[in-house]
Amino acid sequence: MKKLIFTISAFLFANLIFAQIKITATNTTVPSTGAVIHLDLAAITSVKTAPATGTSQVWNYSTLQDSAKYSFSLVPNKNSSFLSTELADTGAMEMLFQGVYYTINNVYGEDASDVFEAGSYLNYQYHDISSLIGFGSDTIYFPAQAMVYSNRQNTIAFPATYPGKWTNTYKKSLVFQLTISAPANYNHAPCSKTTYVSTTDSVAGWGTLSIPSPNKASKPYPVLMVRRKTVTIDSLVINNGPPPALLLAGLGLKQGQVTTDYAVNFYAAGRAIPLLSMDYGGDKTYTTPKNVNYSADTVQSGINNEQPLLTSFT
């Protein structure tokens, strides 16, 4: 009888572990105001296998090795172009063209429909680009501005379950000024870059995920595996017209540039931030990642009775 009870208990436990989760507005929240999110950037050489799709998967990435660590803070949004209930990710960086980055604040929120990104804003800043163009006075200026997406980008659409899919299409516009001596003579020339974005998120599997934790491998977390495809088209305007071909070449740009990026995110209930993210760049087979990061905040290891690291979400 004891053997029978043990067998039944083991069966129920196994099915409990491998029961598919459903991510909803009631069991998932964005981190609280003031939260500091820590991310570990994994060495690509420590990624031994590509994540399999389908049901009842066991994704064990507990042996990932760190190559860097970084963090970001979430603060109450104070930009009038967005809601006061939304949060701003401060100090993010975005690339305009090769070698030129600007600091940006991405704005996130959550409601009954989804976790979303509403847009971003930036403060005044400028950068010397003489090393790119070849003259000492060449400068790019970014005025303070808000970039409100034409439609918000849903990172998780509720309810998320397998199989499932959600799509987003929006545009964002960045304004800036260029001072360049050659190949064209620009003095604070007004410029804009409009980016058209289309994203498709597909829940490609469910199962359990283990990642490194502060002490050892984390316990297996029930997760959804979401594949994301992002297509962007860039359009650049200088002095109310198309930029010269020589200037585009010097900046490493291409008018109407189309870029397709593929990524995988693993989401657990209770967390709006993925436990593990893999960016595959243009690899549509999702085989060879270019960037892998994971978040061990609030993650509990496999050590019995150990308390999770809670500093980031309290």
Side-chain angles (χ1 to χ4, degrees):
M1 177 63 72
K2 290 183 178 179
K3 182 177 181 181
L4 177 60
I5 293 175
F6 175 80
T7 303
I8 294 174
S9 298
F11 174 80
L12 292 175
F13 179 73
N15 279 273
L16 177 62
I17 290 178
F18 283 95
Q20 179 187 175
I21 65 168
K22 180 183 290 187
I23 298 179
T24 67
T26 57
N27 67 14
T28 299
T29 56
V30 297
S32 58
T33 298
V36 178
I37 313 301
H38 303 92
L39 294 178
D40 292 80
L41 185 65
I44 298 301
T45 54
S46 66
V47 183
K48 303 302 182 183
T49 59
T53 60
T55 62
S56 303
Q57 295 294 330
V58 177
W59 297 292
N60 185 358
Y61 288 98
S62 61
T63 59
L64 291 176
Q65 298 175 359
D66 288 358
S67 64
K69 296 178 182 291
Y70 60 99
S71 61
F72 60 91
S73 301
L74 293 175
V75 301
N77 167 58
K78 295 182 179 180
N79 189 287
S80 60
S81 296
F82 302 97
L83 299 177
S84 60
T85 54
E86 295 169 345
L87 298 176
D89 162 14
T90 61
M93 302 291 290
E94 193 159 307
M95 185 175 74
L96 177 60
F97 45 78
Q98 61 178 12
V100 176
Y101 293 81
Y102 54 96
T103 304
I104 197 168
N105 303 287
N106 296 317
V107 179
Y108 298 94
E110 179 185 0
D111 59 19
S113 299
D114 40 54
V115 177
F116 60 88
E117 183 176 347
S120 56
Y121 65 91
L122 60 153
N123 299 319
Y124 171 78
Q125 54 199 281
Y126 65 92
H127 303 281
D128 181 353
I129 58 173
S130 57
S131 61
L132 298 177
I133 307 300
F135 293 88
S137 60
D138 296 337
T139 309
I140 185 168
Y141 305 86
F142 297 94
Q145 61 192 284
M147 294 185 289
V148 181
Y149 297 167
S150 58
N151 296 298
R152 68 189 193 185
Q153 176 184 350
N154 302 328
T155 56
I156 308 175
F158 302 134
T161 187
Y162 175 86
K165 178 185 292 187
W166 57 92
T167 61
N168 299 273
T169 300
Y170 63 96
K171 73 174 181 178
K172 56 182 181 179
S173 296
L174 171 72
V175 297
F176 57 98
Q177 297 175 351
L178 277 177
T179 293
I180 295 177
S181 301
N185 186 15
Y186 293 132
N187 184 16
H188 287 272
C191 309
S192 65
K193 178 186 177 184
T194 301
T195 302
Y196 301 86
V197 184
S198 175
T199 62
T200 301
D201 290 89
S202 304
V203 183
W206 62 267
T208 60
L209 172 71
S210 297
I211 60 174
S213 75
N215 291 321
K216 58 180 295 185
S218 75
K219 69 178 185 180
Y221 279 87
V223 294
L224 295 179
M225 170 189 172
V226 180
R227 282 182 165 181
R228 164 165 284 198
K229 176 183 178 182
T230 304
V231 180
T232 60
I233 303 174
D234 293 327
S235 176
L236 188 66
V237 172
I238 298 180
N239 278 336
N240 298 315
L246 283 177
L247 178 60
L248 287 174
L251 298 176
L253 295 175
K254 182 180 178 181
Q255 189 71 287
Q257 177 76 43
V258 179
T259 304
T260 304
D261 184 84
Y262 300 87
V264 170
N265 295 305
F266 292 89
Y267 292 101
R271 297 173 58 99
I273 295 174
L275 279 175
L276 175 67
S277 295
M278 299 181 172
D279 183 2
Y280 290 89
D283 180 9
K284 64 181 179 181
T285 66
Y286 296 92
T287 302
T288 306
K290 296 184 178 300
N291 180 287
V292 176
N293 66 74
Y294 62 92
S295 173
D297 289 339
T298 73
V299 165
Q300 184 174 352
S301 79
I303 299 176
N304 291 335
N305 301 319
E306 184 199 36
Q307 296 300 310
L309 178 66
L310 293 174
T311 55
S312 294
F313 287 80
T314 56

